[in-house]
């Protein structure tokens, strides 16, 4: 692979990271509205659990993307060293 490929990949991964952070923020706001407007204690509890589960899923995605960025940086450095 070329140096340009890894540079582009890093840029794309950073964009994905920002989109994932925005999606997490949007989901948290949505669940906060659901919790505030819930009529029964059991539905509030269910919304809180869903909010936590979705936030954790977003966090796992974010960490995965960060690992991919670090890996791409390593590949980029290795490719530069070869030339």
């Amino acid at each position: 692979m070329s140096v340009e490929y890894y540079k582009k990949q890093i840029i794309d991964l950073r964009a994905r990271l920002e989109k994932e952070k925005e999606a997490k923020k949007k989901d948290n706001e949505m669940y906060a509205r659901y919790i505030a407007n819930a009529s029964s204690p059991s539905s509030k509890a269910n919304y809180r659990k869903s909010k936590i589960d979705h936030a954790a899923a977003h966090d796992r995605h974010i960490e995965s993307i960060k690992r991919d960025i670090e890996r791409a940086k390593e590949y980029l450095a290795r490719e530069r060293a070869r030339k």
Side-chain angles (χ1 to χ4, degrees):
M1 303 281 175
S2 69
V3 172
E4 292 79 25
Y5 170 80
Y6 291 118
K7 285 182 181 179
K8 183 184 179 316
Q9 187 178 26
I10 290 170
I11 291 168
D12 292 344
L13 287 168
R14 285 182 179 154
R16 276 183 44 205
L17 181 64
E18 287 306 311
K19 284 183 184 177
E20 190 64 31
K21 286 180 180 180
E22 284 298 316
K24 179 182 177 182
K25 184 178 175 182
K26 185 177 173 184
D27 279 355
N28 279 340
E29 290 171 355
M30 177 188 69
Y31 279 108
R33 279 194 313 273
Y34 287 168
I35 292 167
N37 295 329
S39 58
S40 69
S42 63
S43 63
K44 277 191 179 197
N46 286 335
Y47 285 134
R48 283 191 182 106
K49 183 181 180 314
S50 293
K51 181 179 177 182
I52 292 168
D53 291 343
H54 281 88
H58 283 295
D59 288 339
R60 286 190 300 274
H61 247 105
I62 289 169
E63 290 305 314
S64 173
I65 294 169
K66 285 181 181 178
R67 283 192 304 272
D68 291 345
I69 290 172
E70 291 303 314
R71 194 174 308 118
K73 285 180 181 178
E74 290 172 8
Y75 291 149
L76 176 62
R78 198 173 306 147
E79 191 65 29
R80 283 183 174 155
R82 279 186 21 190
K83 292 185 177 186

